[in-house]
Amino acid sequence: MCGICSAIGGENKIFEVLNGLKKLEYRGYDSSGIAYFDNGKIKVIKSIGEIKNLEKEIDNSLYSNNVIGHTRWATHGKVSFENAHPHLSQDKRYALVHNGIVENFETLREKLLSDIDFLSQTDTEVLVNLIAKQQGSTLQKLISACSLVEGSFALCLQHEKEQKIYLAKRKSPLMVAKNEHGCMASSDMSVFAGRFETCYIMNDNEFAVMDNKNILFFDKNGKKIEKNAIFIKNCDFCEENNSEKYFMLKEIKEQSLVIKRTFFKYFVENVFLQFDDLKKYKSFHFIACGTAFHSALLGARFIQKFCHKKCEVSVASEFRYDDNVLSKKCLYVFVSQSGETADTIACAEIVANRGFDTMAVTNVPYCSLNNLTKFVLPTFAGKEVAVASTKAYTAQVFTLLILALKISGHNYSQILKNFSNTFEIEKPDENVVNFVSGFKKIFFIGRQQDYVTSLEGALKLKEIAYVNCLGMAGGELKHGTLALVDGQTLVIALSTQFSLKEKMESNIQEVKARGGKILLLSQFEPMVDVDMFVPLAKFEEFLMPIVGIVPLQFLAFAYATKLGLNPDKPRNLAKSVTVE
Ligand code: M6R
């Protein structure tokens, strides 16, 4: 993970990089730091924790026109000052920030760098010393060091005597932009918004050199290459204004708008013109991680329900090591908010390299996943900042529903339009929040589509409130987990399918009989005794996964904030998981 940002030019770049890092903080917030030129020397400022801590270390009068910066999500080496980036070579001539993993760093350290006294446990310090050890110009050194590296990197390198910043990219995102004030590099495009009109997206195994005015690009043999600039649209994707205290709350509330926008994009603007091309596939295999895996589970259900086509769903970190039997008649669908998730990308590479058809369902324009796949089905959640995915999930679910309906040829546009016009975000009552936050042992249960909502509801509560909870199929409870149910247990039950209402009520009775407490979310009046009831708005059954998840997002948010936790930045996590 990690975010990197660097800037060079005729004016002060310290605060440009600092502001860039703030926008990249979603990529990790274990520590941060900058390296900058100061009177012919490279100086470093680092800090543990959020960027605001680094900001406190930086004097308002600090000036430098060559700055590289980093915000870290720890992989190699614990969270510590020593392990925070930037890292210097032993001779202090080179400074490096790095996003990615040098998988063979121990071998490199032992075989090629045994004379170096390392100050940190990071793979990045190995890399910067490896670069310093190579022969030739700085660019040649960089290219040669990268050729020895197994793993992934997006990196920015300074040499103390050169008014330049060197860049390299493999499997971690990196883009660059220039204007009359200088050049900038960043892990994502939002950093450029408002300052640059165009940017260049670096491909794997490309290198670049930025100076005050220009960016030159090179291939892995050091041969100069030309690249085309793309326009940075003034899109809502870069929008980050937030009047709420937390992004998560803003993003939960935005979901009705996201549904409206998605409907408009697919039914009015017709942004995807290849639905007919997708009809030929006999089956669909969805692959994703985390919350995107949950939306993929629903996507598969929609395709099966409306198109009667066989579907499979895999967790990306498993799929990539499976002995997969792939089929030409199957479309492999990779669902990812960021389009940068390492496991999902690895799967897309495996499938695409073997010549099978692929589709990305992503929320970030120009992300790495989109470059790998034959089709790209965009979601229109807008930029999601909070680590816990909310509006990106509902955007994925609604988009996958549209996909299924468009492939099936069913004419449901009026129903979807009505939904997009009337779906409102409703917060559960304060007494429900108080009730739920009194429990430390919580199970979420549901059947079929509600089982998926249970999984997603439990994930939200785990990741932001650190509650040890579990989402499961209602029918599975009695096969083991019921043994854990007692008077201190809360079971949150979802029931949005009329045909399964009585089955869910049986599951509720099983819990009540063991003294467990029940919170039921349903559009149907309960026929059994429950401790708390959250009525859901009534829409067609296949839309209820969107309706049902919203109160669970609110509950997780409220639980976390009651504990004084920051729901936007849960411990140990980062928004974009760009390492395996
Ligand atoms: O960017 P992606 O959708 O590929 O990310 C996948 C997961 O890392 C992500 O959904 C994660 O589970 C979220 N923190 C869930 O809220």
Side-chain angles (χ1 to χ4, degrees), residues 289-292 335-339 341 387-389 396 459-460 463 577:
C289 302
T291 284
V335 186
S336 173
Q337 185 284 130
S338 62
T341 300
V387 167
S389 189
Q396 284 162 352
L459 181 61
K460 292 290 89 88
E463 68 180 325
V577 186

Side-chain angles (χ1 to χ4, degrees), residues 73-318:
W73 184 80
T75 56
H76 290 62
K78 60 180 190 223
V79 178
S80 71
F81 187 82
E82 293 71 36
N83 289 338
H85 297 218
H87 290 284
L88 297 178
S89 56
Q90 186 163 268
D91 61 14
K92 308 264 183 287
R93 288 182 305 142
Y94 292 94
L96 183 71
V97 290
H98 166 218
N99 167 31
I101 290 188
V102 179
E103 285 164 6
N104 56 337
F105 84 109
E106 274 169 1
T107 316
L108 293 170
R109 190 172 53 195
E110 277 159 31
K111 294 214 168 128
L112 303 175
L113 303 167
S114 53
D115 56 326
I116 305 287
D117 292 325
F118 287 96
L119 304 173
S120 76
Q121 291 110 44
T122 64
D123 50 346
T124 307
E125 197 186 1
V126 170
L127 186 51
V128 69
N129 280 294
L130 188 69
I131 295 167
K133 274 254 162 121
Q134 306 303 303
Q135 299 297 318
S137 67
T138 303
L139 178 63
Q140 285 164 336
K141 287 180 181 203
L142 178 61
I143 293 176
S144 144
C146 287
S147 72
L148 301 171
V149 166
E150 285 164 21
S152 57
F153 49 79
L155 49 90
C156 303
L157 174 79
Q158 293 168 316
H159 178 281
E160 64 171 6
K161 295 282 178 263
E162 299 176 44
Q163 176 54 5
K164 288 177 179 165
I165 294 174
Y166 292 84
L167 312 169
K169 179 220 152 38
R170 189 200 292 161
K171 290 190 176 163
S172 297
L174 189 58
M175 39 213 81
V176 283
K178 64 174 179 177
N179 62 16
E180 66 279 19
H181 305 294
C183 303
M184 194 168 198
S186 164
S187 301
D188 96 22
M189 209 184 284
S190 65
V191 169
F192 302 145
R195 268 185 235 150
F196 299 88
E197 281 181 3
T198 59
C199 75
Y200 301 86
I201 297 181
M202 289 182 64
N203 294 321
D204 281 350
N205 301 313
E206 284 183 353
F207 297 82
V209 185
M210 307 194 295
D211 63 22
N212 288 356
K213 294 203 169 95
N214 254 316
I215 310 166
L216 298 178
F217 295 97
F218 300 88
D219 68 11
K220 61 176 188 226
N221 301 312
K223 197 163 156 268
K224 232 177 118 198
I225 51 172
E226 296 301 323
K227 287 183 71 73
N228 293 327
I230 58 155
F231 278 99
I232 302 165
K233 287 186 215 131
N234 230 351
C235 57
D236 22 286
F237 188 74
C238 298
E239 176 61 58
E240 266 183 279
N241 297 330
N242 183 17
S243 52
E244 302 288 348
K245 186 166 178 205
Y246 294 108
F247 276 102
M248 185 177 176
L249 185 58
K250 166 191 176 259
E251 289 161 3
I252 292 173
K253 289 182 175 175
E254 259 171 23
Q255 291 177 106
S256 54
L257 184 72
V258 168
I259 296 296
K260 279 190 187 60
R261 191 193 295 148
T262 306
F263 180 84
F264 188 79
K265 292 281 181 189
Y266 282 104
F267 288 91
V268 182
E269 288 187 356
N270 288 315
V271 288
F272 187 82
L273 299 171
Q274 293 144 307
F275 284 113
D276 282 345
D277 299 346
L278 305 182
K279 292 187 173 166
K280 68 173 188 215
Y281 295 104
K282 297 263 181 289
S283 63
F284 290 76
H285 193 144
F286 292 84
I287 297 139
C289 302
T291 284
F293 171 72
H294 297 155
S295 62
L297 287 170
L298 287 170
R301 304 189 67 84
F302 295 145
I303 299 263
Q304 279 176 183
K305 179 181 174 74
F306 296 110
C307 312
H308 311 292
K309 299 199 185 210
K310 192 173 167 292
C311 287
E312 265 185 85
V313 191
S314 297
V315 168
S317 55
E318 289 295 307

